[in-house]
Every structure is written in C-alpha cells, then in structure tokens.
Amino acid sequence: PVAPCAANPAAARGWREQALMEHASVAAFARFSLQLLQLGAPADLVDAAAVAMQDEVRHARACFELARRYSSEDMGPGPLAIGGALEQTDPTAIVLDALREGCIGETVAAIEASEALQHCEDPAARAVLERIAVEEGQHAELAWRFVAWALETRPELLEPVREAFALELAGARPGRER
C-alpha cells in the first residue's frame, strides 16, 4: 500500500483516469487473447497476452492506490461495458485493431509514462510509472510480433495494414486534425 499524502484533487483525478484506462486494458487483453486463439496464433503470443492482462490488472490497482492517496475518497473500478467486445471475428479487423491499440496505442502509452516519469518527484508514483513504462513497451512489442505473424501467415492483410499505417501517420503529422 501507498502511504497517504496531502489532498490533491487534480492528482487524484489524473490517477483515477489512468486507473480506469488500465482497467479497460484488462478487458482489451482478454478480448485479444480470445482473438489470438481464434486465429490459431502461436502459444508464445497467447502466453504474452495473458501476461499483459495481468500487467494491466497491476497497473489499474497501483493507479487506483495513487488516486486514493491524493484523495479522501475510496476509488476503484466499477462495471465495464463490454457489449459487442467479442463481435469482431474478421482477421483483417482484428489485425487493424491490434495495430491501432497495440502497435500505436501501447507505444504511445509507454512514451507517455516515460515522459511523466521525467517530471515526477513522488517516489511512489515514480515506481508505478517506471513499471508502466516498461510493461506498456512490452505490450507494444507483443502487438508488433502479432502483426508480423499475421502478415506472415495471411499475406492478403499486407495492403490493409499498409493503408492503416499510412492513415495513422497522416493523422499524426503536426497541424493535422485526426
């Protein structure tokens, strides 16, 4: 447990928002694990997805602890809407989701945690950010490995993946709206 400190509503809100995103990532990795099984992915990818899901559980817990540390409220996850989460069975859509959520989203999450770490003075928060930065980077690496495997086993996905990357890169240019 993290020792309490002075109330800081902005910090509490920020850590709560981070905790809720990490909590949602638990469900995203649960879905991804099922999709890997559906596609017949190698066991090492399925294993890594299970590890990533447990990482996200730890991230959510740690972020909720930090949120509580900066607040007098008891914070924790609530119900998570999962309607339609398992409807996507098309291999192309699964790979494109992994590209956006994993290759790009997890890479950005690792960079954001690393950047936040550079400006953080609270030792408890620093420890959480260090772990998140490393593990989100590992999650991104898992997504890249999955996309590489998918392209190797389903070459017809190469063009949709190229197009998706081109769109993401075009949207990431400074001055362009997404």
Side-chain angles (χ1 to χ4, degrees):
V2 177
C5 65
N8 182 332
R13 249 188 330 276
W15 282 111
R16 182 176 186 276
E17 289 172 14
Q18 183 66 34
L20 291 172
M21 287 190 295
E22 300 290 353
H23 182 252
S25 292
V26 175
F29 274 108
R31 181 194 70 220
F32 183 55
S33 295
L34 292 172
Q35 291 170 329
L36 288 171
L37 293 170
Q38 174 201 329
L39 296 174
D44 66 309
L45 294 177
V46 177
D47 287 343
V51 169
M53 188 167 54
Q54 288 302 308
D55 293 344
E56 299 293 4
V57 168
R58 279 191 306 279
H59 297 174
R61 280 187 183 141
C63 292
F64 277 121
E65 277 187 29
L66 285 167
R68 284 190 293 274
R69 181 173 189 235
Y70 289 105
S71 173
S72 58
E73 295 179 45
D74 186 27
M75 297 185 199
L80 184 66
I82 60 167
L86 297 176
E87 290 179 0
Q88 194 54 262
T89 59
D90 175 58
T92 302
I94 292 169
V95 171
L96 295 181
D97 281 347
L99 182 150
R100 283 186 290 276
E101 293 176 6
C103 298
I104 296 168
E106 295 286 338
T107 298
V108 169
I111 292 168
E112 288 175 344
S114 294
E115 181 64 23
L117 182 59
Q118 299 306 310
H119 305 283
C120 182
E121 296 176 8
D122 176 1
R126 286 186 62 79
V128 171
L129 288 168
E130 285 172 355
R131 182 173 202 154
I132 288 174
V134 168
E135 291 175 349
E136 299 295 357
Q138 292 168 345
H139 303 167
E141 190 266 338
L142 165 61
W144 287 102
R145 285 181 24 226
F146 165 68
V147 170
W149 170 81
L151 292 175
E152 186 178 298
T153 59
R154 292 175 173 78
E156 69 276 9
L157 298 177
L158 184 57
E159 196 51 40
V161 166
R162 275 191 186 139
E163 289 173 13
F165 269 120
L167 287 171
E168 290 294 330
L169 287 171
R173 290 191 185 127
R176 299 208 39 177
E177 293 206 18
R178 292 191 102 193

